Amino acid sequence: MSTANTSGSAGNLEDDELTLPRASINKMIKELVPHVRIANEARELILNCCTEFIHLLSSEANEICNQLHKKTINAEHIFTALERLGFADYRIEAEAVLKDCKAVAAKRRRQSTRLENLGIPE
């Protein structure tokens, strides 16, 4: 994530705006609509909408986490936040993405363990 200071004062972290990398957004747009040209202004709007959605979702999940007296936001907090914000339809897709991420992480752990069991010195 990159930061851009919107207030002009370098010391005020509350005014810093966090955004997604433009290259990532451009790549997703190209994958989703490969034969459509998107104006730079529209790309900027998509970037701002994505950033705002993530901010809204994480704020709601943080509030849920605090209400449950937890210190770490977990997947269940995100799912509950999606439902509270009216995005319950996204829960199934979010659960599928979580499942895929866990599978990739497990695969990486298995590969790491295999290397360690080969007896190859570091």
Side-chain angles (χ1 to χ4, degrees):
M1 294 195 141
S2 62
T3 59
N5 196 325
T6 56
S7 68
S9 65
N12 193 352
L13 295 176
E14 290 181 18
D15 289 340
D16 284 349
E17 180 184 338
L18 299 175
T19 61
L20 299 168
R22 291 182 195 280
S24 298
I25 295 295
N26 289 337
K27 183 178 178 184
M28 284 189 277
I29 291 170
K30 190 166 187 123
E31 287 176 6
L32 292 171
V33 285
H35 303 295
V36 177
R37 290 185 56 183
I38 308 290
N40 286 337
E41 188 175 294
R43 289 177 190 272
E44 186 72 24
L45 179 61
I46 291 169
L47 177 68
N48 290 337
C49 289
C50 291
T51 302
E52 185 62 29
F53 178 74
I54 292 169
H55 180 74
L56 179 68
L57 185 62
S58 60
S59 295
E60 186 68 24
N62 187 48
E63 188 176 308
I64 292 165
C65 189
N66 288 335
Q67 290 171 352
L68 297 173
H69 305 289
K70 303 288 183 181
K71 292 185 178 183
T72 303
I73 296 172
N74 65 34
E76 209 45 54
H77 300 138
I78 299 294
F79 297 145
T80 305
L82 283 169
E83 291 173 8
R84 279 193 188 177
L85 294 170
F87 296 104
D89 295 345
Y90 292 114
R91 183 179 179 126
I92 294 169
E93 286 188 47
E95 287 173 343
V97 169
L98 178 62
K99 184 179 175 183
D100 291 345
C101 288
K102 285 183 176 182
V104 168
K107 183 178 178 182
R108 285 185 184 155
R109 281 193 302 272
R110 282 193 304 272
Q111 287 174 344
S112 172
T113 304
R114 286 184 196 145
L115 275 175
E116 292 168 6
N117 290 337
L118 288 175
I120 299 172
E122 293 180 0

